Amino acid sequence: MASITLNNATVDIPIYNASTRSLKTTIIKAATGGIIASDNKGRVIIRALDSINLSLRSGDRVGIIGHNGAGKSTMLRLLSRIYTPTSGTAEIIGSIGTLLDIGIGIDPESTGMENIQLRGTLLGISDEEIKAHTEEIIEFSDLGDFIHMPLRTYSTGMQLRLAFAISTMVRPDILIMDEWMSVGDEGFKHKAKERMNAMVGSSKILIVATHSAELIQTQCNKVIWLEHGKIKMEGSPEDIAPLYFNSGL
Ligand SMILES: Nc1ncnc2c1ncn2[C@@H]1O[C@H](COP(=O)(O)OP(=O)(O)OP(=O)(O)O)[C@@H](O)[C@H]1O
């Protein structure tokens, strides 16, 4: 079973080096971004998500759309448990896998082998699971003996191959992605697509933030349209996508 329940979930990001005084003149709301405000202690905050109510169940394949700064990445971070709500609640049941910033946690001075361990640990994967997948990651990334060399000796494409192979080693209940990942040269792209499809196919809930109408039409059965940190509309791709993509945003 996998489920996500957000109840009036709000995410405020405190900004420590901004002054509230200069904001008093900013009456007109910016066209993009969350709401700039001050909290009850007078500190400047950005309300990136504002009172979100959401209920997702197994079988939901959700596309999150919205203009720049609407709150999509913040939503992905909240659903990945990177952020906790400032107020309201987020109940997330099921194992979570993310394909966000796949290069994070990759150390250029460490070897490929060491990076499998480092990045795997950062993704919350147990030592046993990392060990069980190591051979398969080496084979999939096609790095041969380079796996024993420091990452700074890899080309960008080689680094991406390894990062991708590590990030896709597990099959989570809830898969959270920032756009569709396309990595490597033509040969690798094909393999990577198959592996992505397998990961997406076995996930119970898929959440992808995207600016692509095609991705929404082909992969999603639900769309959430965010604007200034709030849900503006929620519904089927057939209903929501034309409204959003034809709105000139
Ligand atoms: N680390 C941060 N510090 C301060 N403000 C932030 C931070 N991250 C996001 N914000 C603010 O939160 C709001 C939502 O940002 P978010 O990155 O979630 O938007 P987005 O919809 O993913 O945008 P984009 O399509 O441009 O990536 C914006 O107003 C942004 O200024």
Side-chain angles (χ1 to χ4, degrees), residues 2 22 40 55 59 77 102 111 143 154 177 180-181 191 215:
S22 60
N40 52 13
S55 172
R77 291 192 187 126
I102 64 161
T111 66
L143 288 166
Y154 291 19
M177 309 194 305
W180 204 257
M181 206 159 286
K191 268 189 4 177
L215 186 58

Side-chain angles (χ1 to χ4, degrees), residues 83 107 232 238:
Y83 287 164
D107 172 27
K232 181 183 166 88
E238 296 74 35

Side-chain angles (χ1 to χ4, degrees), residues 79-155:
L79 299 178
S80 315
R81 298 203 187 100
I82 297 170
Y83 287 164
T84 50
T86 313
S87 62
T89 57
E91 190 189 38
I92 298 153
I93 298 169
S95 60
I96 299 172
T98 59
L99 287 179
L100 311 170
D101 305 322
I102 64 161
I104 282 187
I106 295 283
D107 172 27
E109 292 304 322
S110 304
T111 66
M113 278 299 258
E114 289 163 344
N115 269 292
I116 295 174
Q117 183 69 41
L118 279 172
R119 172 75 181 154
T121 307
L122 210 83
L123 288 168
I125 302 167
S126 68
D127 280 356
E128 294 78 57
E129 250 188 305
I130 297 172
K131 268 202 195 87
H133 284 95
T134 298
E135 271 312 309
E136 184 255 332
I137 291 171
I138 297 170
E139 203 189 307
F140 185 83
S141 51
D142 267 337
L143 288 166
D145 280 341
F146 269 100
I147 205 73
H148 302 292
M149 301 285 281
L151 247 77
R152 64 182 150 74
T153 66
Y154 291 19
S155 72

Side-chain angles (χ1 to χ4, degrees), residues 223-243:
V223 177
I224 293 172
W225 178 353
L226 290 178
E227 203 167 276
H228 299 300
K230 284 180 179 288
I231 296 181
K232 181 183 166 88
M233 276 190 200
E234 189 180 349
S236 68
E238 296 74 35
D239 290 340
I240 309 291
L243 293 176

